[in-house]
Amino acid sequence: MSARKVVIPKAGGYEQLRVENLNQVSPGSGEVRVATQAIGVNYADCVIRMGLYASAKEYVGWPITPGFEFAGTVDAVGEGVTDLSPGDRVFGVTRFGGYATHVVVPRHQVFALPSKLTMEQAAGFPAVFLTAYYALFELAHPRPGTNVLVHSAAGGVGSALLQLGRIAGCRMVGVVGSTHKVEAARALGADVVIDKSREDLWKAAEAASPKGYEVVLDANGPSTLKDSYRHLASPGKLVIYGFHSMLPRTGGTPNYAKLAWDWLRTPRFDPLTLTNDNTSVLAFNLSYLFEQRFVLEDSMARLLAWVEEGKVVSPKVTTFKLDDVAQAHQALESGTTVGKLVLVP
């Protein structure tokens, strides 16, 4: 099979996703080349395609091959890599370049495939679980019994947050956008599930935790940020890791008038108000953290131990062929999917 990759030549809709031949690169010193069998698809990949992902512009520019995570077999190792051999089953992370049949990354970004995960599950594991882990354990630091509100609770990161919150002993309240996602959220550890398609989100949130939430995890952006902050307890932490509501659900290209309006209505948090309210607003972008070895190694060590213990299960996986990458993006942007989408080359 020829080596191939998905290339986005310039910002745009689904038509910009093109599958091209890949000129394979030999791994350098301390690097590993992996022949991929599965590739995780994340909402950030869609944002990259639209030309709105800041770190993609900073690190790569156009053209770009998106993709943050993959699973497969070691194809070749560079000088100094002595603990992996061709044929070893692995999964890992990459800062862009993942949508390809072969990926070259530094050794510390690759991990042995756990016995309890398939290739497809492993390919969809790192981005969502590392995001959830960093949000919850590195930034929020919840104590047992903490009331935690999770938006988009049946999605990739949301479902990871529910599981990690349960491990931390928190009381997890999950918000979902449609009724068919309620059971999925409950099964993953939500003590209360709010179906905002059938009930008023914030009335239900107040009923579930009348004194507010010590932690709210929000990747929606301006559609919920102001109310998420208003429903914090004292002390409370709002953790932000995305702005999904600013972006389209259909069509694949941004509405720039809506983007501008959403930018204007995004709350600005004043330090004096934060101090008086006894609250914190925290935010991060996982793509800036891949070079931080402690983030990858410590987080993944704990996550994989929980996988082996059966405390963490991979999200439900839906697969697409590499040639059907546009359909995968369309499905993810629609907001109707549960769990993770994975490309299979």
Side-chain angles (χ1 to χ4, degrees), residues 48-345:
I48 291 165
R49 191 199 70 242
M50 295 175 206
L52 301 172
Y53 205 75
S55 66
K57 296 177 186 177
E58 180 179 335
Y59 291 117
V60 183
W62 304 111
I64 189 170
T65 294
F68 291 109
E69 54 187 350
F70 58 88
T73 55
V74 174
D75 189 45
V77 297
E79 185 182 350
V81 177
T82 57
D83 57 344
L84 284 177
S85 305
D88 287 350
R89 291 158 58 83
V90 296
F91 74 113
V93 295
T94 174
R95 189 164 60 199
F96 316 114
Y99 284 21
T101 58
H102 297 78
V103 178
V104 176
V105 292
R107 168 66 187 90
H108 78 272
Q109 292 176 208
V110 174
F111 307 89
L113 188 80
S115 61
K116 295 198 174 180
L117 297 183
T118 65
M119 284 285 183
E120 291 79 13
Q121 289 172 327
F125 185 88
V128 294
F129 274 95
L130 287 169
T131 298
Y133 185 96
Y134 195 83
L136 203 60
F137 293 112
E138 296 285 345
L139 297 185
H141 295 289
R143 297 177 184 277
T146 293
N147 287 293
V148 178
L149 182 70
V150 179
H151 289 282
S152 306
V157 178
S159 62
L161 283 165
L162 290 179
Q163 296 183 66
L164 298 186
R166 180 169 57 184
I167 290 170
C170 301
R171 179 172 176 266
M172 303 300 291
V173 178
V175 181
V176 297
S178 52
T179 306
H180 77 278
K181 298 182 178 184
V182 171
E183 280 311 311
R186 194 165 279 131
L188 288 162
D191 297 281
V192 178
V193 182
I194 299 170
D195 176 2
K196 64 182 181 182
S197 72
R198 291 193 165 194
E199 55 189 325
D200 182 282
L201 163 55
W202 297 111
K203 280 184 183 173
E206 287 163 16
S209 185
K211 293 184 178 180
Y213 294 85
E214 287 87 355
V215 180
V216 177
L217 299 137
D218 192 332
N220 290 333
S223 66
T224 54
L225 273 180
K226 187 179 283 187
D227 283 315
S228 288
Y229 180 80
R230 281 182 48 238
H231 287 81
L232 287 176
S234 173
K237 296 175 182 176
L238 171 59
V239 183
I240 302 164
Y241 59 96
F243 293 86
H244 293 182
S245 68
M246 296 177 79
L247 298 164
R249 289 225 160 169
T250 57
T253 53
N255 176 333
Y256 287 98
K258 179 182 183 300
L259 267 180
W261 169 241
D262 281 344
W263 183 83
L264 287 170
R265 70 190 187 104
T266 298
R268 273 63 173 168
F269 297 101
D270 172 60
L272 290 171
T273 305
L274 291 172
T275 306
N276 194 53
D277 290 348
N278 200 26
T279 51
S280 306
V281 177
L282 304 144
F284 70 104
N285 180 328
L286 190 69
S287 69
Y288 288 114
L289 297 172
F290 283 162
E291 289 172 350
Q292 306 290 325
R293 291 182 71 143
F294 79 92
V295 173
L296 283 184
E297 292 173 353
D298 295 357
S299 309
M300 198 62 86
R302 290 187 76 187
L303 288 167
L304 293 181
W306 288 329
V307 168
E308 290 300 333
E309 292 167 21
K311 292 181 179 177
V312 161
V313 296
S314 167
K316 177 176 179 271
V317 172
T318 305
T319 59
F320 292 79
K321 294 176 184 175
L322 191 66
D323 291 306
D324 296 332
V325 59
Q327 292 176 29
H329 276 216
Q330 196 168 7
L332 192 57
E333 288 170 29
S334 73
T336 60
T337 59
V338 172
K340 282 290 295 218
L341 308 187
V342 170
L343 301 174
V344 179

